Amino acid sequence: MRIALCILLALSASVVQAATKIEGVRIWPAPDHTRLVLDTAGKVDHNMFSLSSPSRLVIDIKNAAKRADFSKVDLSGSPIKRIRSAPRNGTDLRVVLDLKTDIKPRSFVLEPNQQYGHRLVVDLIDESGTRLEKDVSPTVTQNSAGKRDIVVVIDAGHGGEDPGAIGPRGTREKDVVLKMAKTLAELVNQQPGFTAKLTRTGDYYIGLRNRTILARKHNADLFVSVHADAFRTPQPSGASVFALSQRGATSETARWLAQSENRSDLIGGAGALSLEGRDEMLAGVLLDLSMTASINASLGVGSSVLGQLGSVAKLHKPGVEQAAFAVLKSPDIPSILVEAGFISNPKEEKNLSAEWYREKLAKAMMDGIHDYFRRSPPPGTLLAWQKENGKGDGRVGQYRIQRGDTLSGVARENQTTVSELMRFNGMNDDRVMVGQTIRIPSS
């Protein structure tokens, strides 16, 4: 009897030792959901179910034991009131989330990456409609001329539990691109006739489809997703600009036509075209035309942005590349993805970590965007009105030289020549100084 008891105790101890430890816990509150992440020593199996009155979410993790202290987690900004846990069935762990309201849960496991090990991820989504969608109203900004602004939606890639690429010195892509996106938004907002909106303003993750949904809700004229590239070796370098590939467009057209809920979605941010009530053939033709126009516009603005980036940084490829990135698949919004450089390259990682370099890249992107829309302004906008009436863009008359400006750049911005600017301002050479004010001839 004593021998049998010893064997049982030994088996029990081995089971306890084999239990996967829950080593850490993190919360990422985002506008559309809250993400709970449990760091685990290895891969785990789990079951999950909801309870009401009061609202709770129960997570049963098989063959697991808790090492993390759940009581120290900052739950502010999340729908979670408290996290409780207790052993279950001798070898399992039950985690209970006491909630402020009913939510729609979603869970999955993640494999280790450069920053984290195995993880169990639980997303808590508001069942009454995500805050992301409810809080966003169409952006229609009127300027002093009574014309609407061009709306540029800027998307900082990755975020929250997704760090993106990580450089040799530990620089995280999600941090670099958020700072660059905010700088670009400031530059866009400073330009007369433009308004910028950000898909994310903090360190949280937004689903790829939700990023394009946000752009559509803002009535975007352009969607710009900002990233930093990476490769398995440190040698590759240079900035890139991507537009949607034709293959990606074909698959996206099929997806839109296959899903009935998309039929009522507007094609064209201003509501110019709808698939609702169209037969299959006509809907396909309209969607294909819209997608083709969107890709052509994306290639146009992408080429303009790439040209400006090439004046301040090395380019990875000489032309706009095309790929089937999910965030580029808006059939109604010109969309580009900018890889600001290779964070896996030590020199570019150092540059991307520096504010001065990010500002230089952001200014080049803004110049490219501005150049494109001056040539092809959307109807009803201030730039379209200025073009129709032979007026400038707010810089005509005189312009104060900013850091990084060149006379050739100012000439290009104002659709004139360096020699004309020199003649108009009585200049002997093309050198300019920060703070200098130069006169711009009427176009």
Side-chain angles (χ1 to χ4, degrees), residues 24-25 281:
V25 58
M281 182 176 291

Side-chain angles (χ1 to χ4, degrees), residues 103-334:
I103 51 88
K104 178 181 178 181
R106 177 182 63 191
S107 66
F108 52 93
V109 294
L110 289 176
E111 297 290 330
N113 62 15
Q114 289 177 278
Q115 186 170 9
Y116 301 114
H118 288 277
R119 287 152 290 163
L120 170 60
V121 179
V122 179
D123 284 341
L124 310 176
I125 304 164
D126 185 358
E127 288 184 307
S128 61
T130 66
R131 287 171 288 167
L132 179 77
E133 296 180 11
K134 289 195 299 183
D135 290 350
V136 174
S137 56
T139 301
V140 183
T141 303
Q142 298 290 334
N143 44 60
S144 57
K147 307 298 179 182
R148 75 172 184 89
D149 284 352
I150 292 170
V151 179
V152 181
V153 172
I154 303 163
D155 171 51
H158 309 282
E161 189 64 17
D162 177 13
I166 299 177
R169 298 193 307 170
T171 306
R172 300 181 299 188
E173 179 184 359
K174 67 172 184 177
D175 300 326
V176 166
V177 298
L178 179 60
K179 292 174 182 175
M180 199 180 310
K182 288 181 175 179
T183 300
L184 178 57
E186 290 175 4
L187 293 172
V188 171
N189 284 325
Q190 289 169 9
Q191 181 63 44
F194 286 82
T195 293
K197 296 291 180 181
L198 291 164
T199 58
R200 71 177 178 98
T201 57
D203 188 12
Y204 50 82
Y205 183 78
I206 296 177
L208 299 180
R209 291 290 178 186
N210 275 339
R211 296 171 192 247
T212 57
I213 288 171
L214 268 173
R216 187 167 293 107
K217 287 184 174 292
H218 281 303
N219 284 344
D221 295 287
L222 175 66
F223 177 85
V224 181
S225 191
V226 185
H227 289 255
D229 219 333
F231 197 66
R232 60 180 179 273
T233 61
Q235 286 79 20
S237 61
S240 306
V241 177
F242 287 84
L244 183 64
S245 66
Q246 194 57 50
R247 182 178 177 182
T250 302
S251 64
E252 187 66 8
T253 299
R255 189 187 76 87
W256 271 67
L257 291 173
Q259 296 184 3
S260 59
E261 63 267 25
N262 287 325
R263 294 303 181 90
S264 60
D265 277 9
L266 295 179
I267 308 299
L273 180 63
S274 173
L275 298 183
E276 191 171 19
R278 311 290 187 183
D279 64 49
E280 194 76 15
M281 182 176 291
L282 179 56
V285 170
L286 292 173
L287 190 57
D288 185 60
L289 288 171
S290 181
M291 187 71 84
T292 300
S294 179
I295 291 177
N296 288 338
S298 301
L299 290 170
V301 70
S303 179
S304 184
V305 168
L306 190 70
Q308 292 292 337
L309 284 172
S311 67
V312 299
K314 177 185 175 182
L315 297 180
H316 185 60
K317 293 285 179 66
V320 178
E321 300 176 71
Q322 291 181 261
F325 289 117
V327 291
L328 300 180
K329 293 184 176 182
S330 286
D332 52 342
I333 305 170

Side-chain angles (χ1 to χ4, degrees), residues 351-419:
N351 283 341
L352 290 169
S353 301
E355 184 179 359
W356 66 268
Y357 188 77
R358 293 194 303 268
E359 285 182 356
K360 189 163 72 166
L361 293 180
K363 186 178 185 304
M365 283 187 266
M366 179 60 223
D367 288 344
I369 292 167
H370 186 256
D371 280 352
Y372 172 80
F373 280 116
R374 277 204 12 193
R375 295 191 303 271
S376 305
T381 60
L382 176 65
L383 268 67
W385 177 79
Q386 289 173 337
K387 186 175 182 180
E388 290 167 5
N389 291 275
K391 296 182 181 293
D393 61 0
R395 298 189 196 184
V396 170
Q398 51 181 249
Y399 175 68
R400 187 181 179 87
I401 300 296
Q402 309 293 317
R403 187 174 64 179
D405 276 342
T406 62
L407 196 62
S408 60
V410 175
R412 186 170 55 250
E413 285 279 323
N414 292 279
Q415 298 182 331
T416 185
T417 64
V418 171
S419 58

